[in-house]
Amino acid sequence: MTEIKTTFIKDMKFVAMTTSGNKIVMDTLKENGAGATPMELLLAALTGCTGMDIVSILKKMQLEFSKLEIVVKGEKSEEHPKIYKKIKLIYKLYGNLPPDKVKNAIELSINKYCSVSNMLKSAAEITYEYQILDSEQ
Amino acid sequence: MTEIKTTFIKDMKFVAMTTSGNKIVMDTLKENGAGATPMELLLAALTGCTGMDIVSILKKMQLEFSKLEIVVKGEKSEEHPKIYKKIKLIYKLYGNLPPDKVKNAIELSINKYCSVSNMLKSAAEITYEYQILDSEQ
């Protein structure tokens, strides 16, 4: 059982506290880093979830990388509820990695292990691409 | 279009950066506040999303409250992918509020306006309860 307690602060600001003692500040979209929007958190969660899978799967495959970045883009519905209809993940891996194994790791994550993608895929179409780059870049 | 860029730090730690400049640290479940887990972020996002709706709807109803807390509990599947099968929201509102209007605000949020609940409800059963408490508590 995962439990979170969230408290209203003021205006539209809320702070969530996890049982493991992590504080998450949320707010409506502003330019000053006042807090992430709830919908931004969904995309962040997706990158973290699949990212952890990739790290874990590549380790099991005994493949090393020097850097890993994941960019995610979410396209919202124009009507209420403004859910993401399309989500695109772009994986950037730095290192000497075989493309087929990277692809396999990503598919294992998105389709089997990643809890977040498996919760969101009933609502949004999730696509991905990946780039394997030189470690020097 | 919402865009997030997430970078692998080390072990299982990732940092997501939103376009609005909010940093979200993620990690596997630890006791030291090292970072929220991606699945914790989903629940936090849900409380923030519905919380902002409640604030907005009660304001339109010209109803005042002194405090608002939302507790959320998520029950995960035991098999991969370990998605939430059941999510329960507990709204605690402090003030002299008519229960029927509070219920109405919550239902409007969960069913119509809240993007996060409307993304998660295809995967999880979302239930709620609410408590209206004295402002002095």
Side-chain angles (χ1 to χ4, degrees):
Chain A
M1 177 80 78
T2 309
E3 187 170 330
I4 309 268
K5 184 181 176 181
T6 299
T7 306
F8 170 63
I9 307 298
K10 64 168 185 171
D11 300 330
M12 284 292 163
K13 187 185 282 291
F14 282 81
V15 172
M17 183 63 78
T18 71
T19 41
S20 56
N22 291 289
K23 202 171 80 171
I24 301 140
V25 182
M26 292 175 281
D27 207 331
T28 45
L29 194 59
K30 289 172 185 167
E31 292 301 320
N32 59 354
T37 69
M39 286 295 273
E40 284 177 333
L41 286 186
L42 285 196
L43 293 187
L46 176 60
T47 60
C49 178
T50 186
M52 290 178 198
D53 286 344
I54 299 302
V55 168
S56 167
I57 296 167
L58 292 184
K59 198 174 176 181
K60 274 183 200 145
M61 290 174 172
Q62 297 185 297
L63 292 172
E64 289 187 7
F65 60 91
S66 63
K67 203 167 137 185
L68 167 61
E69 286 171 358
I70 303 166
V71 173
V72 62
K73 296 177 186 189
E75 201 177 305
K76 281 185 199 165
S77 162
E78 286 182 12
E79 304 294 320
H80 283 295
K82 295 182 180 170
I83 64 169
Y84 294 121
K85 297 304 292 174
K86 290 183 180 182
I87 297 174
K88 182 167 194 178
L89 287 158
I90 301 142
Y91 297 81
K92 296 182 185 187
L93 297 104
Y94 295 75
N96 185 20
L97 298 158
D100 59 332
K101 297 213 168 174
V102 168
K103 188 171 191 287
N104 188 227
I106 294 171
E107 300 231 326
L108 270 176
S109 170
I110 293 183
N111 299 325
K112 185 169 178 189
Y113 292 110
C114 176
S115 315
V116 178
S117 64
N118 280 284
M119 285 212 73
L120 301 183
K121 76 179 180 191
S122 317
E125 181 200 355
I126 302 177
T127 56
Y128 74 88
E129 62 182 60
Y130 60 94
Q131 298 163 11
I132 301 173
L133 303 149
D134 283 343
S135 286
E136 287 71 29
Q137 280 182 287
Chain B
M1 177 81 77
T2 309
E3 187 169 332
I4 308 268
K5 185 181 177 181
T6 299
T7 306
F8 170 62
I9 307 297
K10 63 169 188 173
D11 300 329
M12 285 291 163
K13 186 185 284 289
F14 282 82
V15 172
M17 185 63 77
T18 70
T19 41
S20 56
N22 291 288
K23 202 172 79 171
I24 300 140
V25 183
M26 291 174 281
D27 207 331
T28 47
L29 195 59
K30 288 173 185 167
E31 293 301 321
N32 58 355
T37 69
M39 286 296 273
E40 284 177 332
L41 286 186
L42 286 196
L43 294 187
L46 176 59
T47 59
C49 178
T50 185
M52 289 177 198
D53 287 343
I54 299 301
V55 168
S56 167
I57 297 168
L58 292 184
K59 197 173 176 182
K60 275 182 200 145
M61 290 174 172
Q62 296 185 297
L63 292 172
E64 288 187 7
F65 60 91
S66 63
K67 204 167 137 184
L68 166 61
E69 286 171 0
I70 303 167
V71 173
V72 62
K73 297 177 186 189
E75 201 176 304
K76 281 185 200 165
S77 162
E78 286 181 13
E79 304 294 321
H80 283 296
K82 295 182 179 170
I83 63 168
Y84 294 121
K85 298 305 291 175
K86 290 182 181 185
I87 297 175
K88 183 170 195 177
L89 287 158
I90 301 142
Y91 297 81
K92 296 183 185 186
L93 297 105
Y94 296 75
N96 185 21
L97 298 158
D100 58 332
K101 297 211 168 176
V102 168
K103 187 170 192 287
N104 187 227
I106 294 170
E107 300 231 327
L108 269 176
S109 170
I110 294 183
N111 299 325
K112 185 169 179 192
Y113 292 110
C114 175
S115 316
V116 178
S117 65
N118 280 285
M119 285 213 74
L120 301 183
K121 77 179 180 192
S122 317
E125 181 200 354
I126 302 177
T127 56
Y128 74 88
E129 61 182 60
Y130 61 94
Q131 298 162 11
I132 301 173
L133 303 148
D134 284 343
S135 285
E136 287 72 28
Q137 279 181 291

